[in-house]
Amino acid sequence: ETGVTQTPRHLVMGMTNKKSLKCEQHLGHNAMYWYKQSAKKPLELMFVYNFKEQTENNSVPSRFSPECPNSSHLFLHLHTLQPEDSALYLCASSQEATGRYGYTFGSGTRLTVV
Amino acid sequence: GESVGLHLPTLSVQEGDNSIINCAYSNSASDYFIWYKQESGKGPQFIIDIRSNMDKRQGQRVTVLLNKTVKHLSLQIAATQPGDSAVYFCAELGSSYKLIFGSGTRLLVRP
């Protein structure tokens, strides 16, 4: 247990479904991140939140909608996804958004879009 | 642009031998580097980090070497064990203050 908890661990959804991924950190960090990890690709940064304000949207399609109600919780709302969106979605947190102390990752949600 | 690259996608070593995983980076202004280990079904886990004012840092069975002249980073694992089998990522703190990850090297430990 790293202190960053993601649920669910696995998710299968149809292209017309709406689902949400949840991330919670118990480390007192102020910044939270969503990453996408596809096979044989580097980790792709999707969104950055600092003190619950979005500071980065890395050209992510609007079918992915993040929400950060407070510094400890981060959601990724999903709707009308495509099969190519199937991947491991990782949440991370850090003390501050500069990343100067590294990131702590959760175990990820394995998403399959059918 | 900034990039972090890995020389080999897969490294196979005999149990008990030392492992060396290499990484190249392109931004000479980067001043913080991290190695992560990712086991199957888990997220990346911090192994060791190094700042640019150092050229070597040691942990338990792991050593990170930083060569700023050629922009090269390496992770050395001593006496490699089966539990070391995983994908290893280097990450660079770029000028935008975000960690940039390489594509990873898979380490396979042969019994």
Side-chain angles (χ1 to χ4, degrees):
Chain A
E1 183 60 52
T2 63
V4 179
T5 304
Q6 290 188 245
T7 54
R9 292 296 307 274
H10 300 273
L11 178 63
V12 179
M13 60 186 288
M15 290 189 284
T16 58
N17 291 160
K18 290 184 179 181
K19 296 287 184 182
S20 296
L21 310 185
K22 180 182 176 181
C23 177
E24 183 175 0
Q25 57 97 0
H26 314 277
L27 302 169
H29 288 171
N30 296 311
M32 296 187 78
Y33 311 80
W34 279 117
Y35 277 85
K36 176 183 179 182
Q37 187 175 36
S38 306
K40 300 180 182 179
K41 283 187 179 180
L43 284 153
E44 300 173 68
L45 178 65
M46 300 175 72
F47 301 103
V48 180
Y49 278 82
N50 191 32
F51 290 96
K52 75 178 183 179
E53 296 297 321
Q54 187 180 122
T55 58
E56 177 122 3
N57 176 337
N58 201 22
S59 302
V60 180
S62 60
R63 58 186 184 270
F64 296 90
S65 176
E67 178 190 0
C68 188
N70 53 62
S71 293
S72 298
H73 294 85
L74 186 64
F75 296 89
L76 188 62
H77 304 300
L78 315 172
H79 66 96
T80 58
L81 294 191
Q82 305 298 312
E84 59 265 29
D85 296 322
S86 298
L88 181 68
Y89 288 85
L90 290 161
C91 173
S93 69
S94 62
Q95 287 186 24
E96 51 184 67
T98 63
R100 298 195 65 80
Y101 302 98
Y103 297 176
T104 302
F105 284 87
S107 294
T109 295
R110 173 68 63 185
L111 174 68
T112 303
V113 181
V114 297
Chain B
E2 297 171 346
S3 66
V4 178
L6 291 163
H7 295 307
L8 294 173
T10 303
L11 176 66
S12 179
V13 299
Q14 190 74 37
E15 181 179 354
D17 287 352
N18 296 335
S19 302
I20 300 176
I21 301 172
N22 296 304
C23 182
Y25 64 95
S26 60
N27 186 354
S28 57
S30 294
D31 63 357
Y32 182 53
F33 304 87
I34 306 175
W35 280 101
Y36 283 91
K37 172 186 181 183
Q38 187 173 21
E39 297 175 274
S40 180
K42 296 183 179 180
Q45 293 178 282
F46 174 95
I47 301 173
I48 191 167
D49 60 359
I50 189 167
R51 299 196 186 275
S52 59
N53 60 351
M54 303 173 71
D55 53 20
K56 180 179 180 179
R57 190 156 189 241
Q58 288 184 293
Q60 189 174 21
R61 282 201 307 118
V62 294
T63 301
V64 55
L65 298 177
L66 176 62
N67 186 330
K68 294 181 287 292
T69 302
V70 295
K71 291 182 284 188
H72 184 268
L73 192 70
S74 69
L75 177 70
Q76 300 179 1
I77 304 174
T80 312
Q81 301 170 0
D84 295 326
S85 293
V87 175
Y88 291 80
F89 296 93
C90 62
E92 162 192 17
L93 186 65
S95 56
S96 58
Y97 296 109
K98 288 184 291 289
L99 283 181
I100 301 168
F101 290 86
S103 54
T105 293
R106 182 174 299 281
L107 177 64
L108 300 175
V109 182
R110 304 189 304 272

